[in-house]
């Protein structure tokens, strides 16, 4: 059994640095990151311009955040599968396709949410 480590602010700061480095690598290497960033900026501009309510803003933040998290996890899964095997394998293809499908489903939910909020205001 591993010995329980004491809390260390230095280790917490280091873990945040690792997370930021991962996000920066995500933006450097993934085209979808820029697509999601563009969509996020459009949502922010529309929300300000159309003066959404607090509850509408919360809904937009939640669905947008979940899209980002899903895309980050999808990227991690794809990289992990590529690390496991560079050869085409039906099970790895399935895993990668399902992960990508999760992003698509969440993006569609976010799009529907955005339409429900923005269309009546237009």
């Amino acid at each position: 059994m591993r010995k329980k480590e004491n809390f260390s602010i230095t280790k917490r700061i280091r873990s945040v640095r690792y997370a930021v480095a991962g996000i920066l690598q995500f933006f450097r290497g993934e085209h979808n990151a820029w697509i999601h960033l563009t969509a996020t900026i459009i949502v922010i501009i529309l929300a300000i311009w159309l003066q959404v309510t607090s509850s509408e803003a919360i809904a937009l933040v939640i669905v947008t955040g979940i899209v980002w998290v899903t895309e980050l996890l999808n990227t991690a899964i794809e990289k992990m599968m590529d690390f496991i095997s560079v050869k085409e394998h039906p099970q790895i293809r399935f895993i990668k396709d399902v992960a990508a499908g999760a992003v698509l489903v969440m993006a569609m939910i976010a799009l529907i949410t955005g339409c429900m909020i923005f269309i009546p205001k237009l």
Side-chain angles (χ1 to χ4, degrees):
M1 191 150 106
R2 277 177 59 172
K3 183 181 173 187
K4 187 176 178 181
E5 292 184 33
N6 291 331
F7 178 82
S8 165
I9 193 73
T10 305
K11 288 183 180 178
R12 299 295 68 85
I13 291 169
R14 194 175 307 136
S15 70
V16 170
R17 283 189 196 143
Y18 295 145
V20 170
I23 292 168
L24 292 175
Q25 289 173 12
F26 172 70
F27 275 102
R28 283 189 208 111
E30 299 299 318
H31 293 80
N32 287 344
W34 294 99
I35 294 169
H36 291 303
L37 181 60
T38 301
T40 300
I41 291 168
I42 291 168
V43 166
I44 291 168
I45 290 168
L46 281 172
I48 292 168
W49 180 51
L50 297 173
Q51 299 177 339
V52 298
T53 66
S54 294
S55 57
E56 291 169 335
I58 290 167
L60 292 170
V61 167
I62 290 170
V63 296
T64 302
I66 295 172
V67 169
W68 278 105
V69 170
T70 309
E71 185 61 56
L72 285 160
L73 290 172
N74 173 56
T75 299
I77 290 167
E78 286 185 354
K79 298 296 182 191
M80 185 172 31
M81 292 298 103
D82 290 343
F83 180 75
I84 289 170
S85 175
V86 293
K87 295 180 185 176
E88 284 289 324
H89 190 281
Q91 288 176 320
I92 288 178
R93 173 59 40 210
F94 174 78
I95 292 166
K96 291 170 83 171
D97 288 350
V98 169
V103 177
L104 180 61
V105 167
M106 193 56 231
M108 291 296 102
I109 291 169
L111 178 64
I112 291 166
T113 303
C115 287
M116 291 172 69
I117 291 170
F118 294 135
I119 290 174
K121 294 179 181 300
L122 294 171

